[in-house]
């Protein structure tokens, strides 16, 4: 197959995928990026282009949509929608987080599940791809409301998950509190202590050390690897981080531990820039204890910090940028600003935070760009290590987990870098990650027959 006939085949597949999955722009965006990356692989290795393989990969094995009724503290009944998309289990049980956010719909869950297939393959840890969630908004809800919602959600979800079947974890709006309520309800319904059914648990009852840190730490490690390929290091670099949730907080923490200066954090209402560097203790108090907004940070921090309501965090000049909030939060204009301000590397802590146009601008300008499916794979990697500990009824030290995480991130960086070189796209981590992830899943699917 020539490169041009590969491109034609993949373009017609894309058209068909968009026709069969209407009104799912995020899924179209994520699948388009992968399909576009595969042309050089199809041209060089025709066995991967055989009819049916890529078509199967783009079709979830199973999609579950269910009703989640619950009562708020005042007795009012609410009805939300729950999702679990079990996308691909060729490499292991479906694995991927649950997102609770009003923007969640089937297309969002499918984009996340699709990305997860390749990300999980890149970790090399034997996990398939899936994702789930609900359009429930936990913001402003009391603990007991969140608990009742989680219990109702699990009332249906428990039929579909299991340590050898499908293993959910956290994502936006689902942290340690929600995983606790979900696990408790699963245990109650099934009457089983099945620790490996959910990851992101507290360490006292089956969780792994370093799981909360893993995504943010991994994203910083990936940025460090990209910089070191260019003869630079993280120490001394200024960094802009978006978001103020799990990934952002631990990105900031790891940047500080690496000798870099994290200048910002944000939420959906605005951003904070702190010339002295973000005070992690204060940020944690506000976000994790008080569950308040980042504007509060600037009010309490004093003269070094400024809150910019509704602003773009990417306006702050930096050497390295870490989009760590949500999809499509860094657009064309933001990329132009970052390039103008001399950014050297961008590492995606969030899933698909950079629009395709912005990725093109950054790569064109020679910025090292780490796509989420490689750069933020540390979270799911430590989730897989949590599953290993659960299966062995063991618990590892934080040092051991952190060492393994660092090795996994180095391996992911190496394989994506080398794969990009092999297929004629040196330095293009997007192509490298998509092809390397695809090869691993495709090999397993081919070996397991037409299912
Ligand atoms: P959290 O819920 O802990 O934090 C999310 C952060 O992003 C908050 O600051 C939130 O602000 C902001 N945010 C969410 N939605 C929007 C929006 N529509 N517009 C602007 N800001 C928004 O989530 P995580 O930190 O866990 O996840 C962040 C990203 O990282 C997501 O893309 C997730 O898929 C990805 N990821 C997470 C992993 C994990 O281990 N947790 C693993 C791999 C990827 P606000 O409070 O105002 O909503």
């Amino acid at each position: 197959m020539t490169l041009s006939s590969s491109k034609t085949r993949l373009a017609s597949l894309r058209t068909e995928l968009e026709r069969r999955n209407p009104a799912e722009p995020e899924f179209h965006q994520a699948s388009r990026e992968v399909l576009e990356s595969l042309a050089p692989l199809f041209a060089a290795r025709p066995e991967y282009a055989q009819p049916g393989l890529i078509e199967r990969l783009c079709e979830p094995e199973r999609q579950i949509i269910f009703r989640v009724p619950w009562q708020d503290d005042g007795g009012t009944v609410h009805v939300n929608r729950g999702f679990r998309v079990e996308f691909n289990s060729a490499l292991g049980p479906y694995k991927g987080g649950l997102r609770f956010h009003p923007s969640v719909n089937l297309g969002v869950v499918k984009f996340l599940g699709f990305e997860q297939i390749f990300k999980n393959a890149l970790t090399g840890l034997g996990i398939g791809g899936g994702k789930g969630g609900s359009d429930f908004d936990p913001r402003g809800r009391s603990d007991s409301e969140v608990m009742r919602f989680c219990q109702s959600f699990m009332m249906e979800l428990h039929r579909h998950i299991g340590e050898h079947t499908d293993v959910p974890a956290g994502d936006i709006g689902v942290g340690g509190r929600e995983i606790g309520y979900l696990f408790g309800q699963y245990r109650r319904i099934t009457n089983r202590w099945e620790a490996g059914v959910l990851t992101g648990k507290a360490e006292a009852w089956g969780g792994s050390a370093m799981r909360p840190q893993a995504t943010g730490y991994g994203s910083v490690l990936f940025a460090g690897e990209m910089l070191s390929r260019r003869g630079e290091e993280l120490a001394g670099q200024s960094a802009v981080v978006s978001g103020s949730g799990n990934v952002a907080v631990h990105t900031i923490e790891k940047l500080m531990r690496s000798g870099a200066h994290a200048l910002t954090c944000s939420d959906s209402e605005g951003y904070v820039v702190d010339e002295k560097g973000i005070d992690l203790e204060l940020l944690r108090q506000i976000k994790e204890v008080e569950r308040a907004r980042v504007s509060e940070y600037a009010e309490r921090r004093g003269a070094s910090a400024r809150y910019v309501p509704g602003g773009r965090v990417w306006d702050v000049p930096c050497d390295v940028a870490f989009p760590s909030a949500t999809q499509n939060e860094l657009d064309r204009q933001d990329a132009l600003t970052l390039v103008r301000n001399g950014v050297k590397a961008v590492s995606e802590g969030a899933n698909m935070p950079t629009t395709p146009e912005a990725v093109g601008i950054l790569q064109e300008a020679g910025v090292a760009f780490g796509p989420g499916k490689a750069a933020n794979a540390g979270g799911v990697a430590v989730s897989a290590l949590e599953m290993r500990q659960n299966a062995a009824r063991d618990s590892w030290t934080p040092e051991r987990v952190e060492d393994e995480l660092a090795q996994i991130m180095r391996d992911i960086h190496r394989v994506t870098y080398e794969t990009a070189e092999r297929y004629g796209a040196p330095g293009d981590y997007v192509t490298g990650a998509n092809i390397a992830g695809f090869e691993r899943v495709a090999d397993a699917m081919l070996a397991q027959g037409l299912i």
Side-chain angles (χ1 to χ4, degrees):
M1 204 179 229
T2 63
L3 187 59
S4 104
S5 62
S6 298
K7 283 185 180 164
T8 310
R9 163 140 154 60
L10 288 161
S12 71
L13 184 76
R14 213 183 74 216
T15 309
E16 181 60 4
L17 181 145
E18 290 175 10
R19 189 191 65 76
R20 294 184 70 222
N21 299 275
E24 296 179 356
E26 294 88 358
F27 180 46
H28 299 171
Q29 184 181 332
S31 55
R32 179 180 186 160
E33 183 208 276
V34 171
L35 294 178
E36 283 178 351
S37 294
L38 296 179
L41 176 73
F42 279 23
R45 306 274 307 273
E47 67 272 27
Y48 288 127
Q50 61 182 266
L53 175 64
I54 184 74
E55 287 81 357
R56 281 190 287 142
L57 193 47
C58 290
E59 186 70 24
E61 290 175 12
R62 193 172 298 107
Q63 306 182 55
I64 302 140
I65 304 180
F66 50 99
R67 183 174 68 200
V68 190
W70 60 282
Q71 259 181 322
D72 66 23
D73 289 343
T76 304
V77 172
H78 300 260
V79 181
N80 284 98
R81 191 171 286 175
F83 302 90
R84 188 72 184 164
V85 172
E86 298 180 333
F87 226 118
N88 193 294
S89 60
L91 288 173
Y94 309 105
K95 181 90 197 84
L98 298 171
R99 177 176 291 192
F100 292 170
H101 192 272
S103 64
V104 167
N105 57 39
L106 183 61
V108 167
V109 179
K110 277 166 75 176
F111 120 64
L112 290 163
F114 188 71
E115 291 278 294
Q116 200 81 45
I117 302 171
F118 307 98
K119 179 189 310 194
N120 293 4
L122 284 173
T123 68
L125 294 172
I127 36 179
K131 200 83 186 190
S134 173
D135 57 359
F136 170 70
D137 188 355
R139 250 168 70 183
R141 291 291 171 196
S142 68
D143 284 351
S144 50
E145 287 173 326
V146 170
M147 182 180 73
R148 283 197 294 279
F149 175 81
C150 289
Q151 291 177 339
S152 181
F153 186 83
M154 186 54 84
M155 212 53 220
E156 173 63 31
L157 188 71
H158 85 277
R159 302 175 211 282
H160 312 288
I161 62 176
E163 62 181 329
H164 302 297
T165 314
D166 184 353
V167 183
D171 190 81
I172 291 177
V174 178
R177 173 182 62 171
E178 291 74 17
I179 293 293
Y181 295 148
L182 290 164
F183 184 76
Q185 184 74 349
Y186 182 85
R187 187 168 61 74
R188 178 194 199 190
I189 297 168
T190 60
N191 192 29
R192 281 162 64 89
W193 180 270
E194 192 186 331
V197 70
L198 287 168
T199 59
K201 304 179 292 297
E203 273 186 70
W205 41 273
S208 174
M210 304 303 293
R211 175 59 189 91
Q213 291 86 345
T215 309
Y217 277 34
S219 167
V220 175
L221 288 164
F222 196 88
E225 290 294 311
M226 292 196 295
L227 286 175
S228 84
R229 277 271 169 187
R230 299 171 169 224
E232 296 209 46
E233 56 175 17
L234 265 172
Q237 310 276 358
S238 59
V240 159
V241 180
S242 67
S244 50
N246 172 276
V247 178
V249 163
H250 294 105
T251 297
I252 293 169
E253 183 174 275
K254 182 67 176 169
L255 283 165
M256 288 165 61
R257 287 177 56 174
S258 309
H261 310 293
L263 302 174
T264 65
C265 61
S266 70
D267 59 28
S268 51
E269 288 160 19
Y271 75 84
V272 164
V273 53
D274 188 335
E275 283 157 23
K276 284 194 188 158
I278 294 291
D279 176 337
L280 202 54
E281 210 174 309
L282 178 59
L283 180 61
R284 286 215 141 110
Q285 171 64 26
I286 288 165
K287 290 301 298 186
E288 293 172 4
V289 180
E290 299 171 23
R291 295 184 188 269
R293 315 303 297 158
V294 295
S295 53
E296 202 50 42
Y297 175 98
E299 271 172 38
R300 289 196 222 164
R301 173 70 161 148
S304 70
R306 187 163 54 89
Y307 176 63
V308 183
R312 309 291 289 177
V313 71
W314 317 115
D315 291 344
V316 178
C318 66
D319 298 313
V320 197
F322 292 87
S324 309
T326 194
Q327 62 268 17
N328 294 326
E329 55 163 316
L330 195 168
D331 65 16
R332 183 180 175 279
Q333 199 54 48
D334 301 322
L336 290 169
T337 306
L338 284 167
V339 169
R340 197 170 49 247
N341 288 334
V343 74
K344 299 170 190 170
V346 174
S347 185
E348 289 190 326
N351 285 309
M352 208 170 73
T354 317
T355 64
E357 298 77 21
V359 174
I361 289 163
L362 294 168
Q363 289 185 324
E364 190 74 14
V367 176
F369 177 77
K373 59 171 79 69
N376 72 36
V380 77
V382 171
S383 273
L385 301 183
E386 182 172 332
M387 290 162 71
R388 278 195 191 169
Q389 293 169 72
N390 294 154
R393 295 190 183 276
D394 195 2
S395 109
W396 300 352
T397 62
E399 293 74 23
R400 176 169 174 194
V401 179
E402 198 168 353
D403 283 352
E404 296 233 8
L405 170 65
Q407 187 56 49
I408 290 165
M409 296 314 297
R410 277 195 293 275
D411 288 346
I412 294 175
H413 177 270
R414 184 183 41 73
V415 76
T416 50
Y417 187 88
E418 289 175 1
T419 304
E421 275 203 325
R422 193 160 61 250
Y423 288 97
D428 177 353
Y429 292 97
V430 176
T431 298
N434 287 335
I435 293 183
F438 174 84
E439 282 178 333
R440 288 184 182 170
V441 185
D443 287 345
M445 289 177 72
L446 289 171
Q448 292 171 27
L450 181 59
I451 54 167

